[in-house]
Amino acid sequence: MDPPDTEQTVSLSTAVADDESSDSSPTSPFSTLNDLCYELSSLHDLATRGSWRSILDKVARARNHSLLSKPHEHLTYLAYNSLALVKLRRFADAAAEIDSLDDDLDSPHYRYESYVQHYSNRHGSMVPFVLRWIHAEIPSKLGKQQETLDRLYILLDFVRTELNKKMSNNLNVSIDLWRQRENFVVNSMICHHLGRKEFGVSLHLIRDMMIRNGEVKDPNPVSLSKLGYIQMQYGDLEGAKETFDRIESLVEGKEDVEMKNMVSRNKALVYLVGKDYVSAVKEYGECIERDESDVVSINNKALCLMYLRELSGSIQVLEKSLERVPVMALNETLVVNLCSMYELAYVNHSDTKKTLSNWIARVAPDDFDSSCTRI
């Protein structure tokens, strides 16, 4: 049985959304994605819908028919192809794509000014940011955790160098973008350090990020929530409670559902640690009433009910969520837990899981791991 989830981490799609090409100039002459790269809007739409196999087909056709005419288009398509392979868990193939590049992503080979015949007015790196991130992350998918951490620290240095350049030139739009990238990389590093139970390093990283974001006097509740979660894992329960209380005072009186649910989930997490499952169920239930697509609360309410030996109730919570919001609730952790509950509750659980698996096959995106039903 998978343990309860807490807060959702920064997703890869967040990094992709604004990174179809590298930031190369303060202003852009392009009005659409297709102006920037061959049929880029189509690739972006497929990625948004989770149609990763279609992306592989589209990239293969473009390469086979020599439809990519400029150097940056090859890099953009390679980035989407690598991302699709990672999403489909074809990590060795994704690594092979990455290995086709020069070891130095800052090589002149990947700069606009090296191709004046194509880019008379552009300068800077043409390497999409998401490609740099995949380059850093892919070793961990092949069992090389330390190599990924090493590359993430190098990537963080690169991001901060670019951020300092934008700040010195007062390029506000670019500053916001590179600040988002900095936070994204730091959150990735925190996830890896937490996985290695390096809680002290994780605390240092989250606190340093908050200082850099100017959150000492005006903290972001989301950052504080992550801090509290790390404190709790570190064993500092009282420190975590203080952090969570601070969040509650910051969002008090606000009508933001997401913020209210964050407060309730934090309270529930404290109850979980104290094995007060009844109170945790109440908090998660209030979250679901406010937002029926809150997958973390749905999953954790079901697990708390199971801990209370209310197995039929926990199954009902998960099944109802799949009926109400199938796309939002179709989460691998949730499905794993539901199948585990079927195994505990039903003698003929194989038939029940097969029915679930057939439904998943009809509605799930390409990157959903259907093996989580354990049929």
Side-chain angles (χ1 to χ4, degrees):
M1 188 73 65
D2 282 7
D5 294 323
T6 52
E7 291 301 314
Q8 293 171 302
T9 58
V10 178
S11 67
L12 186 56
S13 59
T14 302
V16 174
D18 295 315
D19 292 316
E20 284 77 23
S21 64
S22 291
D23 180 43
S24 60
S25 62
T27 59
S28 173
F30 306 110
S31 58
T32 68
L33 291 178
N34 291 339
D35 291 335
L36 184 62
C37 183
Y38 173 78
E39 286 195 6
L40 185 55
S41 61
S42 176
L43 284 178
H44 185 72
D45 180 59
L46 290 170
T48 302
R49 291 188 281 116
S51 300
W52 305 107
R53 293 188 182 90
S54 296
I55 286 178
L56 295 182
D57 291 340
K58 193 172 187 66
V59 172
R61 286 198 303 272
R63 288 172 170 175
N64 291 337
H65 292 90
S66 301
L67 299 177
L68 308 177
S69 59
K70 295 182 179 180
H72 82 278
E73 292 181 331
H74 290 278
L75 284 172
T76 301
Y77 268 62
L78 190 148
Y80 272 94
N81 207 54
S82 301
L83 176 58
L85 290 168
V86 168
K87 287 289 190 177
L88 294 170
R89 298 172 181 79
R90 292 171 54 180
F91 302 124
D93 292 335
E97 281 278 284
I98 297 298
D99 289 343
S100 69
L101 300 169
D102 292 346
D103 289 337
D104 182 9
L105 294 180
D106 296 315
S107 153
H109 187 61
Y110 300 128
R111 297 187 67 82
Y112 288 107
E113 54 265 37
S114 297
Y115 305 91
V116 292
Q117 69 275 26
H118 292 297
Y119 315 105
S120 58
N121 297 316
R122 303 199 76 190
H123 66 276
S125 174
M126 64 177 73
V127 178
F129 177 74
V130 70
L131 194 54
R132 294 180 182 273
W133 187 81
I134 295 173
H135 171 264
E137 281 286 346
I138 199 65
S140 68
K141 306 300 183 182
L142 301 173
K144 303 174 183 177
Q145 296 288 340
Q146 187 58 52
E147 186 174 346
T148 278
L149 271 172
D150 292 342
R151 289 186 180 186
L152 283 172
Y153 277 100
I154 293 171
L155 179 56
L156 182 61
D157 285 341
F158 166 80
V159 170
R160 286 178 172 168
T161 297
E162 292 299 315
L163 177 59
N164 289 336
K165 290 179 184 177
K166 310 308 177 190
M167 292 175 69
S168 65
N169 292 321
N170 293 319
L171 301 175
N172 292 331
V173 174
S174 294
I175 289 171
D176 291 342
L177 174 62
W178 284 95
R179 183 70 73 189
Q180 290 172 21
R181 290 172 173 176
E182 179 187 31
N183 292 340
F184 181 81
V185 175
V186 170
N187 275 292
S188 297
M189 294 162 64
I190 289 172
C191 287
H192 284 286
H193 281 299
L194 286 177
R196 292 156 61 110
K197 300 188 183 302
E198 294 168 348
F199 304 122
V201 179
S202 301
L203 279 173
H204 170 76
L205 286 169
I206 188 70
R207 285 171 171 154
D208 180 65
M209 184 181 76
M210 293 175 70
I211 291 171
R212 287 177 175 274
N213 288 341
E215 297 183 40
V216 176
K217 294 183 179 179
D218 185 22
N220 184 324
V222 175
S223 300
L224 279 177
S225 188
K226 292 174 183 175
L227 172 62
Y229 173 63
I230 296 170
Q231 289 173 312
M232 187 163 284
Q233 289 213 75
Y234 202 18
D236 183 9
L237 183 58
E238 290 306 313
K241 287 179 179 178
E242 289 179 8
T243 300
F244 292 154
D245 288 343
R246 190 178 179 192
I247 297 169
E248 187 171 7
S249 66
L250 285 172
V251 304
E252 188 176 2
K254 296 182 179 179
E255 296 302 318
D256 188 314
V257 170
E258 186 176 347
M259 291 295 104
K260 285 185 175 181
N261 277 17
M262 180 191 299
V263 169
S264 291
R265 287 196 300 268
N266 290 339
K267 287 181 179 178
L269 186 58
V270 174
Y271 289 136
L272 274 172
V273 172
K275 297 186 179 180
D276 183 356
Y277 302 124
V278 173
S279 296
V281 166
K282 179 178 179 293
E283 293 293 340
Y284 287 131
E286 290 178 0
C287 289
I288 297 168
E289 287 180 9
R290 286 190 290 260
D291 177 11
E292 62 182 14
S293 64
D294 186 339
V295 175
V296 173
S297 296
I298 292 167
N299 183 65
N300 291 0
K301 179 183 178 181
L303 287 178
C304 288
L305 287 170
M306 187 194 70
Y307 297 152
L308 291 168
R309 300 182 181 180
E310 296 182 26
L311 194 54
S312 60
S314 62
I315 290 174
Q316 187 178 45
V317 167
L318 298 181
E319 288 183 335
K320 281 188 174 181
S321 71
L322 291 174
E323 291 173 3
R324 289 195 310 267
V325 281
V327 177
M328 291 295 296
L330 194 55
N331 173 282
E332 287 164 20
T333 299
L334 187 151
V335 171
V336 165
N337 289 337
L338 178 57
C339 288
S340 297
M341 292 171 189
Y342 284 155
E343 291 168 4
L344 292 171
Y346 305 136
V347 174
N348 61 336
H349 58 78
S350 295
D351 292 339
T352 307
K353 290 197 296 182
K354 189 170 183 179
T355 300
L356 175 63
S357 181
N358 291 337
W359 175 80
I360 289 172
R362 294 196 303 271
V363 302
D366 290 346
D367 56 328
F368 189 87
D369 186 4
S370 58
S371 66
C372 65
T373 57
R374 299 197 300 272
I375 293 179

